[in-house]
Amino acid sequence: MLRPLAAELEERRAAARLGGGEAKIARQHEAGKLTARERIALLTEDFTELGIHARPHFSQRAMDGKDAPADGVITGWGHVDGRPVAIVAYDFTVMAGAMGMTGEIKVARVRELALSKRIPIVWLLDSAGARIQEAVGAQFAQTGALFREQSVMSGVVPQVAAVMGPCAAGTAYIPGLADFVPMVSGRGSMALAGPHLVRAAIGEDVTPEELGGARVHCRKSGVGDLEVADDEECIARIKEYLSYFPAHCEQAPPRLPVSDPVDRMEDALLDVLPESNRKPYDMYDVIKLIVDDGSWLDLKPKWAKTIITAFARMGGMPVGIVASQPRQLGGILDNDSADKAARFVQLCDAFGIPLVFLVDVPGFMVGTKVEQAGIIRHGAKMLHAVASATVPKITVVLRKAYGAGYYVMNGRAYEPDLIVAWPSAEISVMGAEGAAEILFRDAPNKADMVDAYRKMIDVYIAASNGMIDDVIDPRETRPTIIKALRLAEGKKLERPYRKRGVIPV
């Protein structure tokens, strides 16, 4: 009796797995994109699907007679590097991956699974947005739970939203609320309204790439975290990102075995800094020399480039690195770099990932342009994030640590578990040249005044007064940080009760 039923079941499954059919799958490949199921197969080898038999909801009369296998979205879970992960993949071969009512019931089920089982959730986005046939009309009043639930999940489980195709309107807020947003260059795009609606609303003719492609969001808006070449690289970066994170906020970040000696001393660090403290250098050269195996994952590397935010391992432990980048405008902080750092600090703090600050900062940008753009508000956001973080925090001052830039880069007042400096460090309200211009503007021998002030901000003065913990040989940077991280593993800070802090936005 059950044999014919089992055969029918397999036929139904096979039909659903074809999505929009061979022709649309071929069109997807011609566009340089993998199908939703091919993407899932790259992410996990043991995918368990939920809702494969889904079709347009019976209540949606506009969809009568229309076929939409799995209702255009594939949902379930699978293991990534041995750990379970909830997965949502919109299928562009089925009605352009548009969000239908049944499909969103499936997605809600997976969100519930991720939150209740405390596992990460990954969205693989390739969708035209809301399915207009179902969304127009007063029934729209019941929608929106997706974004509220994403907000509730924030900081509880890691959320990844990969933009692998179009993400218009509704689907655009999924990456807007996610923790990590890789974008496929030339294919991934996101915008609150697609080109057709933009043309109708304001008369502007734009392509999806011009409106919200990877170049826009990974270089100008800062919504995207990483620009990748293709679907394969996108999936690889998702796996790499998740490798630094625990499954949920109450679990410790995963520590891996490491062959790179924890006590490794790097002579090359002695040659990183140029002779003049006014000349730039590349902070990535320092990062490469101190992290495990010279490997790290950059977040937002093409946006707000005066500061670096990256994940790496030190002694096998995941760390979040916040580093000045003197190669870009001397490492000065502006509105975007403050936002970039603040968000990264909050992300690391939410999931228990220790923070390492590498400091060479001349302060914040000044002038009418940045004041009108709200630099005080943006700088306060970074101050608030760093002050609020309770994870282990290690600070290394390499060269400049001036003004409020020193504060936001986890200066002494911001509860560093260790704060050390290279012999080249200068910690002061401002640099010697700026101070001499203010204090000795009429002095005939201003160069002598600059030299005199520089002696006043010598790092050994701060060390001799107990304001930093030590002055270290640059070669000792890696072992010094790792020892401090190990010491701070059991760190516990008590804060006064409050419902929540009010971060400047």
Side-chain angles (χ1 to χ4, degrees), residues 137-428:
Q139 288 197 49
F140 181 76
Q142 69 177 335
T143 64
L146 161 61
F147 309 123
R148 178 188 60 80
E149 290 178 15
Q150 258 194 277
S151 301
V152 170
M153 293 166 71
S154 178
V156 181
V157 296
Q159 300 185 60
V160 175
V163 181
M164 309 177 85
C167 293
T171 45
Y173 276 120
I174 297 174
L177 290 166
D179 304 328
F180 178 52
V181 183
M183 297 187 70
V184 178
S185 182
R187 301 182 190 92
S189 64
M190 52 180 160
L192 294 184
H196 297 299
L197 183 54
V198 168
R199 188 181 307 112
I202 63 174
E204 184 180 7
D205 280 310
V206 289
T207 66
E209 183 68 18
E210 292 168 339
L211 185 61
R215 291 180 68 89
V216 172
H217 288 305
C218 294
R219 304 184 189 197
K220 295 181 180 179
S221 77
V223 178
D225 286 306
L226 200 60
E227 196 173 347
V228 297
D230 51 34
D231 287 8
E232 289 84 355
E233 184 186 356
C234 188
I235 298 296
R237 295 291 80 77
I238 292 171
K239 290 182 174 181
E240 184 179 1
Y241 174 87
L242 290 175
S243 75
Y244 292 105
F245 279 77
H248 55 83
C249 63
E250 296 175 86
Q251 196 177 77
R255 180 184 290 196
L256 298 182
V258 60
S259 58
D260 194 348
V262 297
D263 58 353
R264 172 167 54 82
M265 305 274 279
E266 277 292 347
D267 284 345
L269 287 168
L270 296 175
D271 301 316
V272 165
L273 299 186
E275 289 187 12
S276 169
N277 75 344
R278 297 176 68 89
K279 289 186 177 179
Y281 63 96
D282 193 344
M283 187 64 81
Y284 285 114
D285 293 339
V286 176
I287 294 171
K288 183 177 181 179
L289 292 169
I290 64 173
V291 301
D292 290 355
D293 303 312
S295 176
W296 68 90
L297 176 64
D298 228 336
L299 263 60
K300 304 186 190 295
K302 296 181 180 179
W303 180 67
K305 294 191 285 188
T306 64
I307 198 160
I308 295 166
T309 51
F311 290 110
R313 281 188 173 77
M314 300 193 73
M317 295 175 282
V319 296
I321 295 174
V322 181
S324 309
Q325 176 52 302
R327 192 176 182 181
Q328 301 287 335
L329 300 176
I332 201 163
L333 294 167
D334 60 12
N335 295 1
D336 286 346
S337 52
D339 282 0
K340 174 179 172 178
R343 186 182 184 282
F344 184 76
V345 167
Q346 287 184 304
L347 176 62
C348 292
D349 192 45
F351 292 102
I353 298 174
L355 288 158
V356 174
F357 294 83
L358 303 177
V359 186
D360 189 348
V361 61
F364 279 89
M365 189 79 79
V366 297
T368 56
K369 183 178 179 181
V370 291
E371 290 296 347
Q372 291 167 10
I375 196 162
I376 295 172
R377 175 167 49 86
H378 290 275
K381 190 183 304 183
M382 188 175 175
L383 277 171
H384 192 289
V386 175
S388 300
T390 59
V391 291
K393 297 186 287 188
I394 314 300
T395 303
V396 181
V397 182
L398 282 67
R399 195 167 64 170
K400 303 185 189 77
Y402 296 162
Y406 169 61
Y407 297 160
V408 298
M409 291 297 285
N410 201 51
R412 180 65 183 84
Y414 288 77
E415 302 172 300
D417 296 283
L418 182 76
I419 179 169
V420 297
W422 287 8
S424 49
E426 296 176 344
I427 304 174
S428 175

